[in-house]
Amino acid sequence: MKKIEAVIKPFKLDEVKDALQDIGVQGMTVLEAKGYGRQKGHSELYRGAEYVIDFLPKIKIEVVVADDLAPAVVETIQNAARTGKIGDGKIFITPLEDVIRIRTGETGAQAI
């Protein structure tokens, strides 16, 4: 199993969610996040004073899938979240040792 974490622009969430549902992903966790990468935030003007916003709003999506579905999930997220502009986000893929469904005690792929 793989845990796929994607940090994307907030307005892309619905597109990514719909695209993942279309390929059979049954569940995901979504977190509101703030951060910056190479873009280093941006400057804004407020009441005549310029200030720097270091942390930009982002959305973090976490999905756990079987090993064979992971490449399709990564490609789907890339295609749905891409705008072609700086700050589109990142995808992190990590191996997952086990999953346990609390309600039934099922483990592994049955618990996903």
Side-chain angles (χ1 to χ4, degrees), residues 12 15-16 75-85 88:
K12 286 294 199 171
E15 287 179 54
V16 171
E75 183 179 352
T76 299
I77 294 171
Q78 278 183 296
N79 293 336
R82 181 179 294 127
T83 66
K85 297 186 175 137
D88 274 351

Side-chain angles (χ1 to χ4, degrees), residues 7-20 28 30 57-59 61 76-85 87-89:
V7 179
I8 63 170
K9 291 183 175 186
F11 66 89
K12 286 294 199 171
L13 177 60
D14 287 335
E15 287 179 54
V16 171
K17 178 183 68 95
D18 293 342
L20 288 173
M28 70 172 63
V30 177
K58 300 289 183 181
I59 294 292
I61 299 170
T76 299
I77 294 171
Q78 278 183 296
N79 293 336
R82 181 179 294 127
T83 66
K85 297 186 175 137
D88 274 351

Side-chain angles (χ1 to χ4, degrees), residues 9-51:
K9 291 183 175 186
F11 66 89
K12 286 294 199 171
L13 177 60
D14 287 335
E15 287 179 54
V16 171
K17 178 183 68 95
D18 293 342
L20 288 173
Q21 286 177 340
D22 289 346
I23 65 165
V25 173
Q26 295 182 353
M28 70 172 63
T29 301
V30 177
L31 306 160
E32 291 184 18
K34 291 185 180 215
Y36 69 90
R38 291 184 180 164
Q39 70 210 61
K40 304 278 194 280
H42 66 275
S43 298
E44 287 191 5
L45 197 60
Y46 179 71
R47 295 189 178 184
E50 185 177 359
Y51 63 98

Side-chain angles (χ1 to χ4, degrees), residues 85-106:
K85 297 186 175 137
I86 193 165
D88 274 351
K90 297 254 189 313
I91 300 173
F92 306 96
I93 305 158
T94 52
L96 197 59
E97 188 174 321
D98 203 0
V99 177
I100 301 166
R101 179 173 286 143
I102 295 172
R103 180 178 55 87
T104 63
E106 294 171 302

